[in-house]
């Protein structure tokens, strides 16, 4: 007859063993009492990397970053109570950005719930609709039936998290005292009667039937003026596939910075990457009107692009989504097609008729080339400037680098100034819910698996997750963090409230007036206040074995003017081109 | 015909005006775009204090602190997306600690929901069961019906938040662009046809009928050996009332540090405040067995007390709760009585027969006095010691001070070493869910209304909410923060895992090795590393016009030994007393 502790140990070891067999390699643990047995067993598993993070909010974003960089599920573990509530922002982000997370929360056993016990809150469906699957686990037991259940629940959890659309799953574990597992048996992870894993789940992909593809190919061949719009996309092999399709159709590809199409070794001849600037021009908006639009991924960040699409709401628009979502904020799609994106492109490219060069394609490329030329002057600005940072990054970053950008201004400036190049540079951001929270931690998590990594964020975003830097300290994560410090919320200066000066600084400008060098020092990082562009490039390129913060101070008002002047000059030239 | 902006303005101004009429005086706003109209209108109201806090997690705890200190509802406002998810920990704490919060989240309008729009997440019932009331507000409109609805929804929200058990309510506002309100009309807050407020809600209190009180008085008179247990309690007038009842019954009052009974101008003759130490003794546990227990408030923090109550599960136990909850984690109550606590005490004290001094009461008081004497040596420890900090605080703090303690060790050390005194010192902590999150912000919020305030927390708790210090900087909040830095999770050294050294430091000790002075400097505070007790008392007593961090470094292992030695010496003496 097994005692409580043996039973607890066998139950948890079965779970942890199955987690690893299902491919989970990283777990981020936040210290706590109720989660003791799971944490102690996890630390025993030779193939599981256990990362410790005291602040659960940062911990979950750190895990999110690892999962984003690897597209492999990462587990997080915390104790009961508000600890679990701190996971919420990262879980919401994971849900909307389709990142697989395995959320494990320890809970009080049933008899200690809703009776005023300490650190006991209602954890059933704690994250509401923001997880793909929730399961309240059975109390630990060693019976055959329960062990089979634990192993199969684990497999289901990992499989559900990975299945398209990927996302977070939540398992809540009721643990009764005593909480110390029995770790003297070296074989706790052994699987008695099956080899690889208890079971596995194979999940197919959404695709169309051959005759549906044939019909689609026929439709696409009938249009001369078409564009392909690619939003954020992580799918391996997609870049090659969509370029293959675009070449057959002779359609330009409007490539969002997160589409992974702007950089890379693939052909760049069809990639349009300055539309955010030239689609502000009314002539371009009119004259570049397509007859058909094929859209992949989430909606791109560019507002002018969205307005362009809205203007042409009469145009047939195919939205392809292998995750069966409804990512169409302006409700413009005419055909919503649930089909795995790479399969869609490859299947069509194989059967569609090759088209000849078109005037329409040339127009798009001309606008793109002209815009690029007109944005060049940013490179000659001598003063420190927000826009130029991104032009510099495109030029300076080494092949193989990863760029992580904050929401608000950095992702937009990257969109405008980080152009098409033939290095392989991966671009990442938290674009599920576009929050300014958790960005430091997400980038640090990503940097655990993607090196070298460069994070570019504003001062408010940096401040929001300053605690996240503890991971850089504890795990010696080399990362360059470029903090664009305009002392407040720079994006609001571009919004209508900027015209209402009363209370503007209090409600939107929100200057913090803090010197981040202190915090960097506290976390053991290296800090440099950038003085000029030469300093910027040398600081950017020097290697680092710790985290390094390069602070670039700018001015919000001047920044708005600089952007508007550049856009105006682009717009004038575009009008001249299109009218000429 | 009103345009969109006039209509939006009238709708929001009606809401804000009603909020103020219902007694809300403080709102904490986190900057964002979607919340623009509400933020701008709030900033116009002359009677509403608008506090800005960039980090929504800290913002919500800051509001919680203000609401705790004043027992008046405080509103919080943020934009859509993960911003709102960051409120979750403080909302959960408010729910379990019965603190009124009005949570206002801006949301995308219906047509931008679940279609992949940026910063759009499902905010309907975002906080699940952790709010008392959720309402998805109607889209802004100026029709009479909608304006009446907005005003009455606001009144219902505030009233629901305040009604016992107090707690958070959540209102979600769908705002369509353009988001700028029209603020040129000086009379936007005017109420057209009613004077004070659109309507008000009067809520009665739970009480028993006269014959039920008579019966209760009869029951109570029949027991000689009774104790009154008082847990955390904020109820004004309760201290006086419960002491009045205890005097009539001649029952000792076991007073939790958060009962507000240990300090104050009331009579202290019946207050037992060292039970956490002497109830560790087996003889005391046996011999102090009561025949009846009357319990008020949430369960006290003391584990020995809980074990004492569990040991005597055959004893009749009345649990009185004006909030109609079920705060009885060990399931020991025989009578759960839903009656407002002060009314209960006053009504019974008026009719119960006065009893004579009892040997039982004397035993409790003797144990208490002896324990106090045996704990005195802590005052003579020359080295810096965690326990002595609390003994020092009891001695040194000025009359009228507020003490805010972190969970884990500080609340427990306060329980052991902060004794009964006749100054009026209020003790506060986040004991709803007992998290280590948000403590800095909650204390700073409380310090906005309770001065002087002394926060005592461990290094991990301080770290968890370091960002919260921004409020101290921006609002020049004078506060003394005593950081007990034992470089990690001190409480785990008292738990069973401390006997399993493998992985202990990694999973539970979790040393951060950071020098907080940098962070204090960054936020413009004053920092002192305490060198000895004289330094401690002078630093504690010197006034400050900013926040001030006094860091006391201690050693986790030595701390455990010091506690155990003291408890052993208490226990030996208690056995001698009770056997003698």
């Amino acid at each position: 007859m097994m005692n409580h502790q043996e039973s607890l140990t066998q139950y948890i070891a079965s779970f942890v063993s199955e987690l690893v067999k299902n491919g989970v390699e990283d777990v981020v643990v936040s210290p706590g009492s109720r989660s003791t047995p799971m944490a102690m067993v996890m630390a025993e598993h030779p193939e599981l990397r256990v990362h410790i993070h005291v602040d659960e909010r940062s911990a979950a974003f750190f895990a999110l970053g690892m999962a984003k960089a690897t597209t492999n599920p990462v587990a997080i573990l915390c104790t009961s109570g508000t600890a679990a509530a701190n996971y919420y922002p990262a879980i919401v982000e994971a849900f909307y950005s389709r990142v697989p997370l395995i959320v494990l929360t320890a809970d009080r056993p049933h008899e200690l719930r809703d009776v005023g016990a300490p650190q006991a809150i209602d954890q059933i469906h704690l994250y509401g609709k923001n997880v793909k699957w929730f399961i309240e686990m059975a109390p630990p037991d060693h019976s055959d039936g329960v062990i089979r259940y634990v192993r199969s629940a684990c497999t289901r959890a990992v499989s559900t998290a990975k299945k398209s659309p990927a996302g977070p799953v939540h398992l809540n574990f009721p643990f009764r005292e005593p909480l110390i597992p029995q770790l003297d048996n070296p074989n706790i992870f052994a699987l008695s009667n099956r080899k690889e894993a208890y079971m596995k789940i194979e999940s197919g992909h959404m695709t169309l039937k051959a005759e549906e593809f044939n019909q689609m190919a026929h439709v696409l061949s009938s249009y001369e003026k078409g564009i392909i719009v690619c939003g954020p996309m992580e799918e391996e092999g997609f870049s090659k596939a969509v370029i293959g399709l675009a070449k057959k159709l002779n359609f330009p590809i409007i490539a969002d910075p997160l589409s992974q199409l702007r950089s890379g070794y693939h052909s760049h001849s069809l990639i349009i990457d300055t539309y955010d600037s030239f689609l502000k021009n009314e002539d371009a908006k009119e004259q570049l009107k397509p007859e058909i639009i094929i859209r992949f991924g989430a909606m791109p960040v560019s507002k002018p692009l969205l307005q362009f699409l809205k203007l042409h709401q009469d145009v047939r628009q195919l939205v392809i989504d292998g995750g069966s979502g409804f990512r169409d904020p302006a409700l413009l799609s005419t055909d919503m097609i649930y089909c795995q994106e790479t399969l869609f492109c490859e299947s069509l490219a194989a059967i569609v008729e090759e088209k000849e060069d078109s005037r329409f394609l040339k127009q798009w490329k001309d606008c793109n080339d002209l815009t690029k030329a007109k944005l060049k002057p940013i490179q000659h600005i001598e003063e420190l400037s927000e826009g130029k940072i991104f032009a510099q990054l495109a030029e300076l970053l080494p092949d193989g680098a990863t760029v992580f950008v904050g929401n608000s201004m950095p992702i937009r400036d990257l969109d405008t100034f980080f152009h098409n190049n033939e290095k392989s540079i991966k671009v990442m951001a938290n674009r599920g819910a576009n929050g300014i929270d958790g960005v430091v931690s997400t980038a640090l998590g990503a940097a655990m698996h993607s090196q070298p990594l460069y994070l570019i964020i504003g001062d408010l975003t940096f401040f929001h997750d300053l605690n996240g830097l503890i991971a850089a300290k504890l795990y010696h994560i080399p990362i360059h963090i470029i903090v664009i410090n305009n002392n407040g919320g720079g994006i609001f200066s571009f919004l209508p409230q900027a015209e209402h000066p009363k209370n503007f600084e209090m409600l939107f400008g929100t200057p913090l007036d803090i010197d981040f060098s202190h915090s960097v020092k506290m976390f053991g990082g290296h800090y440099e206040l950038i003085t000029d562009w030469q300093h910027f490039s040398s600081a950017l390129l020097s290697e680092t074995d710790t985290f390094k913060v390069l602070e670039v101070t700018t001015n919000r008002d001047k920044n708005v003017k600089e952007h508007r002047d550049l856009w105006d000059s682009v717009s004038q030239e575009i009008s001249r081109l299109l009218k000429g």
Side-chain angles (χ1 to χ4, degrees), chain A:
Chain A
M1 172 74 192
M2 272 196 189
N3 67 22
H4 166 84
Q5 274 167 287
E6 284 163 346
S7 188
L8 174 74
T9 309
Q10 188 168 323
Y11 173 101
I12 294 177
S14 300
F15 182 83
V16 173
S17 143
E18 209 63 32
L19 203 60
V20 173
K21 283 172 196 290
N22 274 283
V24 174
E25 296 173 358
D26 292 285
V27 58
V28 184
V29 174
S30 297
S33 170
R34 192 58 48 172
S35 48
T36 293
M38 184 70 87
M40 287 180 76
V41 170
M42 282 176 158
E44 292 293 319
H45 201 295
E47 290 160 58
L48 193 60
R49 285 183 293 265
V50 176
H51 315 270
I52 303 291
H53 215 314
V54 167
D55 181 339
E56 296 84 6
R57 180 173 68 174
S58 299
F61 277 110
F62 186 68
L64 178 84
M66 286 197 279
K68 276 174 89 89
T70 60
T71 68
N72 201 39
V74 172
I76 51 181
L77 169 68
C78 72
T79 189
S80 63
T82 50
N86 278 277
Y87 279 167
Y88 208 14
I91 288 174
V92 171
E93 174 60 27
F95 184 73
Y96 286 96
S97 58
R98 303 184 172 181
V99 177
L101 279 187
I102 316 291
V103 183
L104 311 174
T105 54
D107 197 357
R108 306 264 148 171
H110 299 71
E111 66 275 18
L112 288 178
R113 296 179 180 177
D114 200 16
V115 291
Q119 262 182 291
I121 70 171
D122 186 351
Q123 298 182 187
I124 306 294
H125 291 290
L126 185 65
Y127 309 113
K129 296 182 180 163
N130 296 288
V131 288
K132 290 182 66 186
W133 194 50
F134 166 77
I135 182 170
E136 157 74 0
M137 294 292 289
D141 188 81
H142 65 275
S143 72
D144 264 15
V146 168
I147 295 299
R148 273 207 312 281
Y149 151 85
V150 167
R151 290 188 178 268
S152 94
C154 182
T155 301
R156 288 177 67 186
V158 180
S159 153
T160 305
K162 283 160 79 171
K163 189 178 180 314
S164 181
V169 296
H170 175 206
L171 295 87
N172 192 53
F173 289 85
F175 291 141
R176 219 169 253 132
E177 293 184 10
L179 298 168
I180 308 297
Q182 215 142 47
L183 299 174
D184 40 9
N185 174 359
N187 294 320
I188 51 169
F189 299 114
L191 181 60
S192 47
N193 53 358
R194 300 190 196 180
K195 277 245 167 91
E196 289 295 313
Y198 171 73
M199 65 166 296
K200 59 181 180 177
I201 296 175
E202 296 258 16
S203 177
H205 295 287
M206 303 291 282
T207 190
L208 305 185
K209 292 182 196 154
E211 61 265 35
E212 289 166 329
F213 276 125
N214 283 333
Q215 210 177 341
M216 188 74 66
H218 181 72
V219 167
L220 292 180
S221 305
S222 68
Y223 295 103
E224 193 203 309
K225 296 180 176 180
I227 62 172
I228 294 175
V229 176
C230 290
M233 182 66 77
E234 294 294 334
E235 175 79 24
E236 216 184 307
F238 173 73
S239 295
K240 205 180 142 214
V242 75
I243 288 170
L245 178 62
K247 283 203 164 153
K248 287 294 271 303
L249 293 168
N250 247 319
F251 288 177
I253 299 177
I254 316 301
D256 182 73
L258 299 172
S259 65
Q260 314 308 340
L261 281 160
R262 291 200 186 178
S263 298
Y265 307 135
H266 52 258
S267 156
H268 287 240
S269 64
L270 296 173
I271 307 292
I272 305 295
D273 56 352
T274 63
Y275 54 87
D276 182 67
S277 298
F278 70 72
L279 286 179
K280 286 189 166 71
N281 176 281
E282 294 302 322
D283 297 318
K285 269 192 194 159
E286 289 293 345
Q287 294 191 34
L288 297 174
K289 176 176 182 171
E291 295 159 352
I292 187 161
I293 299 162
I294 310 174
R295 194 159 69 71
F296 298 93
M299 196 65 201
V301 70
S302 169
K303 201 166 183 177
L305 174 63
L306 182 66
Q307 283 163 344
F308 170 77
L309 296 175
K310 273 184 178 170
L311 181 68
H312 303 304
Q313 53 176 281
D314 56 324
V315 174
R316 183 159 186 181
Q317 185 171 143
L318 281 48
V319 174
I320 323 302
D321 188 353
S324 310
F326 198 94
R327 301 192 293 191
D328 183 17
L331 308 179
L332 300 171
S333 56
T334 53
D335 303 62
M336 182 67 78
I337 300 166
Y338 293 154
C339 176
Q340 203 268 354
E341 294 83 355
T342 303
L343 281 178
F344 180 87
C345 295
E346 287 171 348
S347 308
L348 276 178
I351 55 173
V352 89
E353 257 174 70
E354 186 142 6
K355 285 203 223 152
E356 295 187 8
D357 266 0
S358 76
R359 200 182 148 265
F360 180 73
L361 171 62
K362 189 171 176 303
Q363 268 188 318
W364 274 89
K365 287 168 79 168
D366 288 349
C367 285
N368 200 48
D369 293 343
L370 180 64
T371 304
K372 223 170 260 190
K374 293 307 294 180
L375 289 174
K376 268 266 151 61
I378 190 101
Q379 286 284 24
H380 306 306
I381 292 179
E382 284 190 16
E383 287 177 297
L384 293 176
S385 121
E386 301 192 12
K388 181 168 171 180
I389 290 172
F390 296 87
Q392 286 287 94
L393 288 172
E395 203 175 297
L396 298 171
L397 288 188
D399 194 18
T402 296
V403 173
F404 201 110
V405 278
N407 288 309
S408 299
M409 286 311 293
I411 181 80
R412 291 180 172 82
D413 276 334
L414 183 95
D415 201 359
T416 306
F417 299 109
F418 190 93
H419 299 155
N420 210 322
N421 65 65
E422 277 159 35
K423 292 179 279 195
S424 168
I425 293 178
K426 187 170 182 184
V427 181
M428 297 176 75
N430 277 345
R431 293 303 286 178
N434 309 345
I436 67 164
D437 47 341
V439 176
V440 172
S441 296
T442 314
L444 285 168
M448 295 288 281
H449 294 279
S450 296
Q451 278 295 331
L453 190 140
Y454 300 79
L455 167 64
I456 302 99
I457 45 175
D459 52 308
L460 292 189
T461 303
F462 187 52
F463 167 75
H464 209 291
D465 191 22
L466 219 42
N467 259 8
L469 291 174
I470 192 78
K473 175 184 187 298
L474 295 177
Y475 295 106
H476 310 285
I477 308 172
I479 180 177
H480 286 78
I481 303 179
I482 296 142
V483 177
I484 301 174
N485 191 346
N486 51 29
N487 200 18
I491 199 168
F492 294 110
S493 301
F494 289 84
L495 298 181
Q497 49 262 60
E499 288 153 38
H500 301 262
K502 187 181 169 194
N503 297 325
F504 179 81
E505 276 300 290
M506 175 181 85
L507 294 174
F508 304 104
T510 61
L512 299 179
D513 292 312
I514 48 181
D515 175 353
F516 289 114
S517 70
H518 298 297
S519 197
V520 174
K521 196 165 178 188
M522 183 174 78
F523 290 114
H526 177 84
Y527 171 88
E528 289 187 45
L529 180 65
I530 299 301
T531 52
D532 56 36
W533 290 112
Q534 181 151 18
H535 183 192
F536 179 75
S537 66
S538 67
L540 189 76
L541 296 177
S542 71
E543 284 194 14
T544 179
D545 59 353
T546 170
F547 78 97
K548 192 167 166 177
V549 171
L550 314 181
E551 182 169 339
V552 182
T553 51
T554 60
N555 175 286
R556 285 185 254 137
D557 293 336
K558 228 165 66 185
N559 184 47
V560 173
K561 189 173 178 316
E562 188 177 296
H563 279 74
R564 293 202 171 133
D565 286 351
L566 269 169
W567 287 327
D568 284 349
S569 94
V570 167
S571 190
Q572 282 169 21
E573 289 297 312
I574 291 291
S575 284
R576 205 164 300 159
L577 171 80
L578 292 174
K579 283 175 180 160

